[in-house]
Amino acid sequence: MPKDLHNTLDAASMRASILRHLTYSLGKDDAHASRYDWRMAMSLALRDLVVDPWFASTRETYEAMGKRVYYLSMEFLIGRLIEDVAVNLGVDDIARDAIASFGQNYDAIVADEPDAALGNGGLGRLAACFLDSLSTLGIPAYGYGIRYEHGLFEQHFEDGRQVESPETWLAQRHVWEFERPEARYDIGFGGYVSTSVGHHTWHPAETVVASAYDTPIVGWKGDWANTLRLWAAMPTQLFDLASFNRGDYITASEPEALARTISRVLYPDDSSDKGKELRLKQEYFFTSASIQDLLRRFLSEGYALEDLADHVAIQLNDTHPAIAGPEFVRLLVDVHGMEIGKAISVVRGCLAYTNHTLLPEALERWTEDLFARILPRHHRIIEIIQDTCLADTGVRIIEGGMVKMGELAFVMAHKVNGVSALHSQLVKETVFADLHAAFPDRILNQTNGITPRRWLYSCNPPLRALIDETIGSGWADDLERLDGLAVHADDANFRAAFRAAKSENKEHLAAWLKARDGVVVDPAAMFDVQIKRVHEYKRQLMNILETVALWNDIRDNPNGDWTPRVKLFGGKAAPGYVAAKAIIHLINDVAKVINADPVTRDLLQVVFPANYNVTMAELLIPAADLSEQISTAGKEASGTGNMKLALNGALTIGTLDGANVEIRDKVGAENFFLFGMTAAEAVAKRAEPDFARNAISASPRLARVLGQIAGGVFSGADRGRYEALVANLYAHDYFLVTCDFDAYFAAQREVDTAYRDTACWGRMAVLNTARMGWFSSDRTIADYAREIWNTGSLKKKRSAKDDG
Ligand code: 26Q
């Protein structure tokens, strides 16, 4: 249907639909409707438009008898959906007019929707971008995950310290989902395995039910829609009637409370939270439900189990769903009677695994005790997988009393990928070196991407309009067309328009900061932005040290030729990550002192708005002049914020890490501020004795800053607050902040100079936007489809049919 929806649907029929929903779906009189009611009504009107293409896609997928992609992820960091749906359907202007006719403001309605924050950061947001691209490309696919009752915690600052509170997105009705009470599966835990005549039966001690909720994910122009299916945990039995009748209400509802715990809350740690039983249960819970569901769908279509890999492609988003391998084998062997060797190879034909990290602490491992207690049958199956697949490799999945999920995912996958060229190379050379030697064709690279619909078209209206005017429409699903902007980089009028679009976004951000936090910033200053999870390897610490050094220099020479800057930070720390929390505290402490200094007030400001999330990213990214991508080389697998910022015309100051390397290759080395050690140099540096102490001695500027911080300049009465942080830099500095500091400071001064030359900066910024098209997640997904899934677009087939 909605190929030309924008022509057939007008504001009048949208208006009628909104009113109908307000009245008959919500039971509200328009005279008494609140903003919430109007949002619900508008969302339902938009949702109606998704249903027909969704059904059509499902039908065509079934008729094509081809392959479906199943993207298994513990996290889907979606953000808001209203604008996404309206923009993809091409009815955002119509919706705006329709809702205005009721005296309601479209932007205020959109802003009323809470973020679906079912993810920590990059990995979860990548999953959301991939869903958008799978639908835009018309590839039949399901996202599978957990319907957490509580997403990522909310962050507040109290005296500069991070304080967490629970997130409650489901306190309001989530209109985008459809409950599917008929799609239910039993999920077992614990118990024992019985054996008779070579047949094994698992008798779980405890069982919960996984119940499905479906959200349609519509692609660009509404041509195709896939499904995001999230599982909620339910008790097998609502409550124990006998206890209830006895008057023991607490005991009566215990089973329900216990079962629901499994999908209650997202783990807020984005590297690891070792050995938590509930985390293992969450992983098995959603993975088992997903495998049971796709197997039921496969069998209902009447295919033979040997042909699974012709119809099923399962992508594991990191090792979190790595139990998929043994679970799938268990179902084929124990339930369907397949021979185990055969089952292992059938399953391997379906599975592929994406690695997102090299950090040793982030590689998932479970103690064998815990694992065997919760999943006794899977434990035995893993031993068989190990004996069958790794016999002469010297590699083991279970070793030293630990079950290693990376090794498990690797041997059960036919393809394993890293997420940037550098990262994939390091995967081959480090974490999986032995496995790579044994299976040299298995590892490949798939550089991450971002959806241009959310991360340019919808979050940056001024730039969208300028691009449309300059190269026409058609770039949002063919992003390399932005290349057509490059010829305008030397046109002063175009650069002025580009700059005006950036200024408009900066004004918009400034107004938001003022309204939300009462913070006043000057949009004429350079907006220098570092937004991402707070982690030592990402080196927010180096950024704030550089800020203090600059502050010192300005105070030493207040009449110098300085470039005014606003340093913007955004990001959360895992609640138990003490070092990251100290960095947040330090940034806020430094902000307090610097922002109060009358000498530097108009030249340097530090702003850290609390509770960074997808929605805040959509505000900050279009307004950024400078993008901070300063991780220790070899530590950031890819980064995706780096892509979003460069696409929106921010220039990058960055290290040769993750996808920064490829961004620099694409936009041109002359349009990128590079500094710092390479990954290999970083490794060599750590082997030098006293490298940090030596670096500090060699840098009076850094030594002065560290002296100030340790000496209490930013911590008032609490003089010792940062003693440990500074002592750790001297003694360990694993992330090489001290060694890269001077190079970073020097690169920042080059940035200052470039920014003051408006023509030069404008040219560089235009060329960044023009040359970032390759980083569209449409390109990434097309490559996964071709090189890993062996599948393609049904949309293309459909239009071929229409033409002939
Ligand atoms: C594991 C075990 C127990 C609890 C939590 C976890 C856990 C949760 C989330 C481990 C890792 C994550 C998330 C990792 C992540 O976001 N990695 C980022 O992935 C991006 C997409 O590929 C990359 O761009 C980033 O470089 C990478 O850091």
Side-chain angles (χ1 to χ4, degrees), residues 75 122-123 269-271 273 279 320 356 448 537 636-639:
E75 308 194 357
L123 167 149
D269 199 309
D270 70 336
S271 52
D273 209 342
R279 168 82 185 186
H320 316 154
H356 295 267
N448 283 167
Y537 82 79
E636 189 70 271
S638 162

Side-chain angles (χ1 to χ4, degrees), residues 460 462-463 466 496-506 622:
N460 196 340
L463 186 54
L466 177 62
F498 194 90
R499 203 169 124 84
K502 181 64 74 184
S503 295
E504 196 179 327
N505 294 325
K506 291 169 77 173

Side-chain angles (χ1 to χ4, degrees), residues 75 120-124 126 267-274 279 283 317-318 320 354-357 362 364 366 419 448 537-538 635-640:
E75 308 194 357
N120 274 288
L123 167 149
L126 185 75
Y267 271 89
D269 199 309
D270 70 336
S271 52
S272 89
D273 209 342
K274 287 239 157 56
R279 168 82 185 186
E283 295 185 352
N317 199 19
D318 216 298
H320 316 154
T354 305
N355 172 283
H356 295 267
T357 186
E364 272 194 301
W366 299 101
V419 290
N448 283 167
Y537 82 79
K538 294 176 187 284
K635 296 295 173 191
E636 189 70 271
S638 162
T640 44

Side-chain angles (χ1 to χ4, degrees), residues 665-683:
D665 285 347
K666 295 282 178 192
V667 305
E670 66 286 6
N671 302 308
F672 187 108
F673 298 95
L674 179 72
F675 74 94
M677 285 180 284
T678 63
E681 286 165 356
V683 172

